[in-house]
Amino acid sequence: MPDLLPPCAPRLFQNPRADLDRAYGPSERAIVSRAAFEEARAEITAWPGYAPTPLRSLKGLAKAAGIDRLWYKDESHRFELGSFKALGGAYAVLRLLAREVSARAPGVPVAALDLVVGRYGTITRGITVTTATDGNHGRSVAWGAQVFGCSCVIYVPAKCSEGRQKAIEGYGARVVRVDGTYDDAVRRAAADAEANGWHVVSDTSYTGYMDIPRDVMQGYALMVEEAISQLPASERPTHVFVQGGVGALPAAVCGHLWETWGRQRPRLVVVEPHSADCLYRSAVNGRPTPAEGDLDTVMAGLACGEVSLLAWALLERGADDFMTIPDEAAVAAMRRLAEGNELDRPMVAGESGVAGLAAVLCAAGDEEARAALGLWPDARVLVFGTEGATDPAVYARIVGRPPESIPPHPCGPAPRVG
């Protein structure tokens, strides 16, 4: 088998608490559920510019990896933000504003269009939303605030790129750079929100802050449902590899597949950078455990040190494996996609967006990891390409050429793939 990536020495932990037979019950549905998902789907699919993002069949990389299928959910064209995060933060802003308007004007129904046209502007203009971000979530919250008519302050860690900060500011948000990590920015945003009467719209949950992160995760579930509907009618994935972060995304994927397919759900592998491995450490210790160090990774959107408590409540028994990879694996995966091959057209994918794919290729090239994960010739793997070149300058520095130099891939809806 040809080398898929440079040797990447993945770390793999098989979750001893994973429970395939456990029913998706009331405690799980209190976090994410199909009932709440249907509300999110009805709302988001009515937004201008909505279209399902494509599901690509990477036949060349599947062949090189020695597996049957490799499906890549390409989020690089999600709305105007180029990231799956558009589904979460903006939806949570809408839900928050609708609740606030209803509380101040009881009995008045509030629709998204009412907020877009400024019908309740006298109320929403006095509301400020805030969050911490490494880039994409903050862009989604800022976009939602601009569209639905409220003010926005976004906190970014010291290492957030200038390009990502400017993209957030482009939606009218004020950006505050914090001298520290993403988790330091989370704490600063929460403290300033309390002091100023602002509303935190975060994708991570912590003691005393649970409701809004549920809305964020329900928005993410739309991406999962789209992928389910786009799979070939007679096929289901045997494995899903999904990037970690604070855990909100893998928990949304886990909960949606668990409730939808039950015991027939695919094996779920949660992927993180070696240097930002809070979910991996939590799995090893059997309880939420922070990562150590400065969280420095090229996968900037995954540079998170503390686990979302809601996410962990699902992943503790719903995730089968936890895996970490080096930065070099993500860089190599970006370049492989940009180059294309005889079967796969070139694609643009961001450094955090390729983490799941990089983990598949990394594991396929490691005999021990391949065997432990069951990546055999009949394996059918789904990964989520969660972002495009959300900072073109960073992309060009990593790949060696600007994203616009790569021939565009057809990006319309893809009902079925082969």
Side-chain angles (χ1 to χ4, degrees):
M1 180 183 299
D3 289 338
L4 294 168
L5 299 178
C8 61
R11 289 189 303 164
L12 180 65
F13 182 74
Q14 294 179 290
N15 183 13
R17 286 167 293 279
D19 188 353
L20 184 64
D21 294 321
R22 181 182 175 91
Y24 199 78
S27 62
E28 289 81 17
R29 289 191 180 90
I31 302 171
V32 293
S33 68
R34 287 204 66 93
F37 160 72
E38 292 299 344
E39 293 183 35
R41 172 160 62 178
E43 179 56 59
I44 296 170
T45 57
W47 292 355
Y50 169 77
T53 55
L55 185 67
R56 317 287 189 196
S57 180
L58 302 182
K59 296 180 180 179
L61 285 181
K63 181 179 178 181
I67 58 178
D68 185 43
R69 294 281 190 277
L70 178 55
W71 294 299
Y72 181 93
K73 181 66 167 160
D74 182 4
E75 292 291 299
S76 64
H77 299 280
R78 180 68 74 179
F79 290 109
E80 60 185 63
L81 278 72
S83 157
F84 84 105
K85 293 280 189 176
L87 298 171
Y91 176 64
V93 169
L94 169 64
R95 296 268 294 177
L96 167 68
L97 294 179
R99 286 194 295 268
E100 289 297 309
V101 170
S102 295
R104 301 179 197 193
V108 175
V110 182
L113 182 60
D114 295 326
L115 299 176
V116 171
V117 301
R119 184 167 296 164
Y120 304 110
T122 54
I123 296 175
T124 61
R125 284 192 294 271
I127 296 172
T128 297
V129 295
T130 187
T131 193
T133 186
D134 284 302
N136 290 336
H137 176 68
R139 193 180 307 193
S140 178
V141 171
W143 177 58
Q146 183 183 72
V147 169
F148 299 121
C150 68
S151 299
C152 183
V153 181
I154 301 294
Y155 292 78
V156 300
K159 292 182 179 179
C160 177
S161 73
E162 290 294 330
R164 291 192 170 97
Q165 175 173 337
K166 289 179 180 177
I168 294 168
E169 290 171 336
Y171 292 107
R174 178 165 68 90
V175 175
V176 177
R177 190 171 286 267
V178 175
D179 185 17
T181 66
Y182 165 79
D183 301 285
D184 294 320
V186 168
R187 287 184 280 271
R188 172 73 181 279
D192 286 3
E194 184 174 1
N196 293 294
W198 301 341
H199 298 267
V200 176
V201 180
S202 178
D203 59 349
T204 193
S205 60
Y206 41 86
T207 301
Y209 181 76
M210 298 287 180
D211 291 340
I212 288 175
R214 290 187 179 95
D215 290 335
V216 173
M217 287 191 283
Q218 289 295 174
Y220 294 166
L222 179 56
M223 176 182 66
V224 187
E225 183 69 14
E226 286 179 4
I228 289 174
S229 70
Q230 292 166 324
L231 289 166
S234 61
E235 298 182 24
R236 284 186 184 178
T238 58
H239 299 70
V240 172
F241 283 67
V242 60
Q243 35 273 65
V246 298
L249 171 59
V253 174
C254 174
H256 198 74
L257 293 177
W258 187 351
E259 186 174 14
T260 302
W261 284 340
R263 295 188 74 257
Q264 304 305 313
R265 65 189 184 274
R267 183 170 188 157
L268 182 68
V269 184
V270 179
V271 181
E272 298 172 284
H274 280 339
S275 58
D277 58 350
C278 58
L279 294 166
Y280 181 95
R281 290 172 183 263
S282 298
V284 170
N285 292 328
R287 64 183 185 280
T289 304
E292 298 177 354
D294 61 7
L295 311 179
D296 190 19
T297 172
V298 71
M299 293 170 269
L302 306 181
C304 307
E306 297 181 17
V307 177
S308 167
L309 298 183
L310 281 175
W312 180 247
L314 285 178
L315 296 173
E316 182 178 15
R317 287 183 171 80
D320 298 284
D321 306 275
F322 293 82
M323 183 176 178
T324 72
I325 59 173
D327 281 2
E328 294 77 12
V331 169
M334 291 175 69
R335 292 173 177 169
R336 288 292 296 264
L337 286 178
E339 292 165 3
N341 56 57
E342 68 279 3
L343 295 175
D344 305 328
R345 295 183 60 165
M347 279 199 299
V348 173
E351 56 273 23
S352 298
V354 299
L357 174 63
V360 174
L361 302 181
C362 192
D366 183 283
E367 185 175 340
E368 186 175 339
R370 174 188 285 275
L373 291 170
L375 290 175
W376 306 124
D378 61 348
R380 300 184 300 274
V381 182
L382 171 64
V383 300
F384 293 93
T386 52
E387 65 172 0
T390 53
D391 187 329
V394 170
Y395 180 91
R397 186 167 67 248
I398 292 172
V399 175
R401 50 181 167 153
E404 59 268 21
S405 71
I406 296 170
H409 197 297
C411 59
R416 296 288 181 200
V417 296

PDB file of all heavy atoms in Angstrom, residues 139-161:
ATOM      1  N   ARG A 139     -17.528  33.829  13.854  1.00  0.00           N
ATOM      2  CA  ARG A 139     -18.019  34.383  12.593  1.00  0.00           C
ATOM      3  C   ARG A 139     -19.509  34.091  12.441  1.00  0.00           C
ATOM      4  O   ARG A 139     -20.277  34.942  11.982  1.00  0.00           O
ATOM      5  CB  ARG A 139     -17.236  33.782  11.421  1.00  0.00           C
ATOM      6  CG  ARG A 139     -17.443  34.512  10.118  1.00  0.00           C
ATOM      7  CD  ARG A 139     -16.670  33.905   8.964  1.00  0.00           C
ATOM      8  NE  ARG A 139     -15.256  33.752   9.227  1.00  0.00           N
ATOM      9  CZ  ARG A 139     -14.362  33.477   8.287  1.00  0.00           C
ATOM     10  NH1 ARG A 139     -14.744  33.330   7.024  1.00  0.00           N
ATOM     11  NH2 ARG A 139     -13.088  33.339   8.595  1.00  0.00           N
ATOM     12  N   SER A 140     -19.926  32.889  12.846  1.00  0.00           N
ATOM     13  CA  SER A 140     -21.339  32.532  12.754  1.00  0.00           C
ATOM     14  C   SER A 140     -22.192  33.379  13.693  1.00  0.00           C
ATOM     15  O   SER A 140     -23.264  33.865  13.314  1.00  0.00           O
ATOM     16  CB  SER A 140     -21.522  31.044  13.083  1.00  0.00           C
ATOM     17  OG  SER A 140     -22.879  30.670  13.042  1.00  0.00           O
ATOM     18  N   VAL A 141     -21.721  33.584  14.916  1.00  0.00           N
ATOM     19  CA  VAL A 141     -22.468  34.410  15.873  1.00  0.00           C
ATOM     20  C   VAL A 141     -22.545  35.855  15.373  1.00  0.00           C
ATOM     21  O   VAL A 141     -23.605  36.492  15.436  1.00  0.00           O
ATOM     22  CB  VAL A 141     -21.821  34.338  17.268  1.00  0.00           C
ATOM     23  CG1 VAL A 141     -22.445  35.362  18.215  1.00  0.00           C
ATOM     24  CG2 VAL A 141     -21.974  32.930  17.853  1.00  0.00           C
ATOM     25  N   ALA A 142     -21.429  36.371  14.854  1.00  0.00           N
ATOM     26  CA  ALA A 142     -21.426  37.742  14.340  1.00  0.00           C
ATOM     27  C   ALA A 142     -22.367  37.872  13.145  1.00  0.00           C
ATOM     28  O   ALA A 142     -23.092  38.873  13.017  1.00  0.00           O
ATOM     29  CB  ALA A 142     -20.004  38.140  13.954  1.00  0.00           C
ATOM     30  N   TRP A 143     -22.352  36.898  12.274  1.00  0.00           N
ATOM     31  CA  TRP A 143     -23.254  36.890  11.112  1.00  0.00           C
ATOM     32  C   TRP A 143     -24.710  36.861  11.576  1.00  0.00           C
ATOM     33  O   TRP A 143     -25.554  37.620  11.100  1.00  0.00           O
ATOM     34  CB  TRP A 143     -22.934  35.693  10.240  1.00  0.00           C
ATOM     35  CG  TRP A 143     -23.803  35.500   9.036  1.00  0.00           C
ATOM     36  CD1 TRP A 143     -24.010  36.381   8.011  1.00  0.00           C
ATOM     37  CD2 TRP A 143     -24.576  34.332   8.712  1.00  0.00           C
ATOM     38  NE1 TRP A 143     -24.854  35.825   7.059  1.00  0.00           N
ATOM     39  CE2 TRP A 143     -25.212  34.573   7.472  1.00  0.00           C
ATOM     40  CE3 TRP A 143     -24.771  33.099   9.337  1.00  0.00           C
ATOM     41  CZ2 TRP A 143     -26.046  33.632   6.867  1.00  0.00           C
ATOM     42  CZ3 TRP A 143     -25.581  32.163   8.731  1.00  0.00           C
ATOM     43  CH2 TRP A 143     -26.220  32.425   7.503  1.00  0.00           C
ATOM     44  N   GLY A 144     -25.014  35.983  12.527  1.00  0.00           N
ATOM     45  CA  GLY A 144     -26.372  35.905  13.055  1.00  0.00           C
ATOM     46  C   GLY A 144     -26.802  37.206  13.701  1.00  0.00           C
ATOM     47  O   GLY A 144     -27.944  37.656  13.535  1.00  0.00           O
ATOM     48  N   ALA A 145     -25.900  37.842  14.437  1.00  0.00           N
ATOM     49  CA  ALA A 145     -26.227  39.118  15.075  1.00  0.00           C
ATOM     50  C   ALA A 145     -26.523  40.186  14.033  1.00  0.00           C
ATOM     51  O   ALA A 145     -27.460  40.981  14.186  1.00  0.00           O
ATOM     52  CB  ALA A 145     -25.074  39.557  15.977  1.00  0.00           C
ATOM     53  N   GLN A 146     -25.735  40.213  12.964  1.00  0.00           N
ATOM     54  CA  GLN A 146     -25.964  41.199  11.909  1.00  0.00           C
ATOM     55  C   GLN A 146     -27.297  40.953  11.202  1.00  0.00           C
ATOM     56  O   GLN A 146     -28.072  41.883  10.968  1.00  0.00           O
ATOM     57  CB  GLN A 146     -24.810  41.147  10.903  1.00  0.00           C
ATOM     58  CG  GLN A 146     -24.900  42.191   9.800  1.00  0.00           C
ATOM     59  CD  GLN A 146     -23.776  42.046   8.795  1.00  0.00           C
ATOM     60  OE1 GLN A 146     -23.756  41.114   8.002  1.00  0.00           O
ATOM     61  NE2 GLN A 146     -22.816  42.967   8.840  1.00  0.00           N
ATOM     62  N   VAL A 147     -27.568  39.686  10.874  1.00  0.00           N
ATOM     63  CA  VAL A 147     -28.786  39.357  10.138  1.00  0.00           C
ATOM     64  C   VAL A 147     -30.030  39.610  10.974  1.00  0.00           C
ATOM     65  O   VAL A 147     -31.031  40.160  10.479  1.00  0.00           O
ATOM     66  CB  VAL A 147     -28.747  37.884   9.673  1.00  0.00           C
ATOM     67  CG1 VAL A 147     -30.105  37.440   9.139  1.00  0.00           C
ATOM     68  CG2 VAL A 147     -27.679  37.695   8.601  1.00  0.00           C
ATOM     69  N   PHE A 148     -29.977  39.232  12.262  1.00  0.00           N
ATOM     70  CA  PHE A 148     -31.180  39.287  13.089  1.00  0.00           C
ATOM     71  C   PHE A 148     -31.276  40.540  13.959  1.00  0.00           C
ATOM     72  O   PHE A 148     -32.243  40.701  14.693  1.00  0.00           O
ATOM     73  CB  PHE A 148     -31.280  38.019  13.939  1.00  0.00           C
ATOM     74  CG  PHE A 148     -31.370  36.772  13.120  1.00  0.00           C
ATOM     75  CD1 PHE A 148     -30.425  35.761  13.241  1.00  0.00           C
ATOM     76  CD2 PHE A 148     -32.395  36.595  12.190  1.00  0.00           C
ATOM     77  CE1 PHE A 148     -30.500  34.610  12.473  1.00  0.00           C
ATOM     78  CE2 PHE A 148     -32.477  35.453  11.417  1.00  0.00           C
ATOM     79  CZ  PHE A 148     -31.527  34.457  11.551  1.00  0.00           C
ATOM     80  N   GLY A 149     -30.261  41.420  13.886  1.00  0.00           N
ATOM     81  CA  GLY A 149     -30.444  42.762  14.405  1.00  0.00           C
ATOM     82  C   GLY A 149     -30.055  43.043  15.834  1.00  0.00           C
ATOM     83  O   GLY A 149     -30.752  43.796  16.518  1.00  0.00           O
ATOM     84  N   CYS A 150     -28.929  42.478  16.306  1.00  0.00           N
ATOM     85  CA  CYS A 150     -28.452  42.835  17.641  1.00  0.00           C
ATOM     86  C   CYS A 150     -26.967  43.160  17.583  1.00  0.00           C
ATOM     87  O   CYS A 150     -26.324  43.014  16.547  1.00  0.00           O
ATOM     88  CB  CYS A 150     -28.723  41.712  18.641  1.00  0.00           C
ATOM     89  SG  CYS A 150     -27.763  40.210  18.377  1.00  0.00           S
ATOM     90  N   SER A 151     -26.416  43.617  18.694  1.00  0.00           N
ATOM     91  CA  SER A 151     -24.992  43.941  18.773  1.00  0.00           C
ATOM     92  C   SER A 151     -24.195  42.694  19.126  1.00  0.00           C
ATOM     93  O   SER A 151     -24.743  41.718  19.645  1.00  0.00           O
ATOM     94  CB  SER A 151     -24.755  45.029  19.821  1.00  0.00           C
ATOM     95  OG  SER A 151     -25.441  46.214  19.472  1.00  0.00           O
ATOM     96  N   CYS A 152     -22.879  42.747  18.876  1.00  0.00           N
ATOM     97  CA  CYS A 152     -22.065  41.541  19.054  1.00  0.00           C
ATOM     98  C   CYS A 152     -20.638  41.918  19.446  1.00  0.00           C
ATOM     99  O   CYS A 152     -20.033  42.817  18.854  1.00  0.00           O
ATOM    100  CB  CYS A 152     -22.044  40.751  17.746  1.00  0.00           C
ATOM    101  SG  CYS A 152     -21.157  39.191  17.828  1.00  0.00           S
ATOM    102  N   VAL A 153     -20.121  41.216  20.457  1.00  0.00           N
ATOM    103  CA  VAL A 153     -18.719  41.340  20.872  1.00  0.00           C
ATOM    104  C   VAL A 153     -18.120  39.941  20.887  1.00  0.00           C
ATOM    105  O   VAL A 153     -18.676  39.035  21.522  1.00  0.00           O
ATOM    106  CB  VAL A 153     -18.586  41.981  22.271  1.00  0.00           C
ATOM    107  CG1 VAL A 153     -17.115  42.108  22.664  1.00  0.00           C
ATOM    108  CG2 VAL A 153     -19.268  43.347  22.314  1.00  0.00           C
ATOM    109  N   ILE A 154     -17.009  39.759  20.185  1.00  0.00           N
ATOM    110  CA  ILE A 154     -16.384  38.442  20.052  1.00  0.00           C
ATOM    111  C   ILE A 154     -14.996  38.469  20.682  1.00  0.00           C
ATOM    112  O   ILE A 154     -14.196  39.383  20.418  1.00  0.00           O
ATOM    113  CB  ILE A 154     -16.272  38.028  18.573  1.00  0.00           C
ATOM    114  CG1 ILE A 154     -17.650  37.993  17.908  1.00  0.00           C
ATOM    115  CG2 ILE A 154     -15.574  36.675  18.454  1.00  0.00           C
ATOM    116  CD1 ILE A 154     -18.582  36.932  18.429  1.00  0.00           C
ATOM    117  N   TYR A 155     -14.689  37.448  21.479  1.00  0.00           N
ATOM    118  CA  TYR A 155     -13.383  37.319  22.130  1.00  0.00           C
ATOM    119  C   TYR A 155     -12.572  36.229  21.432  1.00  0.00           C
ATOM    120  O   TYR A 155     -13.079  35.127  21.200  1.00  0.00           O
ATOM    121  CB  TYR A 155     -13.561  36.975  23.605  1.00  0.00           C
ATOM    122  CG  TYR A 155     -14.170  38.108  24.402  1.00  0.00           C
ATOM    123  CD1 TYR A 155     -15.541  38.361  24.354  1.00  0.00           C
ATOM    124  CD2 TYR A 155     -13.368  38.942  25.180  1.00  0.00           C
ATOM    125  CE1 TYR A 155     -16.096  39.410  25.056  1.00  0.00           C
ATOM    126  CE2 TYR A 155     -13.931  39.999  25.889  1.00  0.00           C
ATOM    127  CZ  TYR A 155     -15.295  40.226  25.825  1.00  0.00           C
ATOM    128  OH  TYR A 155     -15.851  41.271  26.521  1.00  0.00           O
ATOM    129  N   VAL A 156     -11.342  36.559  21.078  1.00  0.00           N
ATOM    130  CA  VAL A 156     -10.478  35.595  20.401  1.00  0.00           C
ATOM    131  C   VAL A 156      -9.196  35.406  21.197  1.00  0.00           C
ATOM    132  O   VAL A 156      -8.734  36.339  21.866  1.00  0.00           O
ATOM    133  CB  VAL A 156     -10.145  36.048  18.956  1.00  0.00           C
ATOM    134  CG1 VAL A 156     -11.419  36.206  18.130  1.00  0.00           C
ATOM    135  CG2 VAL A 156      -9.332  37.331  18.932  1.00  0.00           C
ATOM    136  N   PRO A 157      -8.604  34.209  21.155  1.00  0.00           N
ATOM    137  CA  PRO A 157      -7.334  33.985  21.847  1.00  0.00           C
ATOM    138  C   PRO A 157      -6.186  34.682  21.127  1.00  0.00           C
ATOM    139  O   PRO A 157      -6.305  35.103  19.964  1.00  0.00           O
ATOM    140  CB  PRO A 157      -7.179  32.468  21.800  1.00  0.00           C
ATOM    141  CG  PRO A 157      -7.957  32.043  20.600  1.00  0.00           C
ATOM    142  CD  PRO A 157      -9.108  32.998  20.509  1.00  0.00           C
ATOM    143  N   ALA A 158      -5.067  34.780  21.799  1.00  0.00           N
ATOM    144  CA  ALA A 158      -3.921  35.522  21.278  1.00  0.00           C
ATOM    145  C   ALA A 158      -3.473  35.023  19.917  1.00  0.00           C
ATOM    146  O   ALA A 158      -3.046  35.809  19.064  1.00  0.00           O
ATOM    147  CB  ALA A 158      -2.768  35.453  22.276  1.00  0.00           C
ATOM    148  N   LYS A 159      -3.576  33.721  19.664  1.00  0.00           N
ATOM    149  CA  LYS A 159      -3.048  33.150  18.428  1.00  0.00           C
ATOM    150  C   LYS A 159      -4.062  33.104  17.294  1.00  0.00           C
ATOM    151  O   LYS A 159      -3.778  32.555  16.234  1.00  0.00           O
ATOM    152  CB  LYS A 159      -2.497  31.748  18.700  1.00  0.00           C
ATOM    153  CG  LYS A 159      -1.247  31.770  19.579  1.00  0.00           C
ATOM    154  CD  LYS A 159      -0.672  30.381  19.804  1.00  0.00           C
ATOM    155  CE  LYS A 159       0.587  30.465  20.674  1.00  0.00           C
ATOM    156  NZ  LYS A 159       1.148  29.106  20.928  1.00  0.00           N
ATOM    157  N   CYS A 160      -5.239  33.662  17.478  1.00  0.00           N
ATOM    158  CA  CYS A 160      -6.206  33.736  16.380  1.00  0.00           C
ATOM    159  C   CYS A 160      -5.603  34.570  15.245  1.00  0.00           C
ATOM    160  O   CYS A 160      -5.033  35.632  15.475  1.00  0.00           O
ATOM    161  CB  CYS A 160      -7.507  34.373  16.865  1.00  0.00           C
ATOM    162  SG  CYS A 160      -8.763  34.590  15.584  1.00  0.00           S
ATOM    163  N   SER A 161      -5.720  34.097  14.017  1.00  0.00           N
ATOM    164  CA  SER A 161      -5.097  34.791  12.890  1.00  0.00           C
ATOM    165  C   SER A 161      -5.780  36.124  12.611  1.00  0.00           C
ATOM    166  O   SER A 161      -6.964  36.316  12.897  1.00  0.00           O
ATOM    167  CB  SER A 161      -5.144  33.918  11.633  1.00  0.00           C
ATOM    168  OG  SER A 161      -6.456  33.859  11.104  1.00  0.00           O
TER     169      SER A 161
END
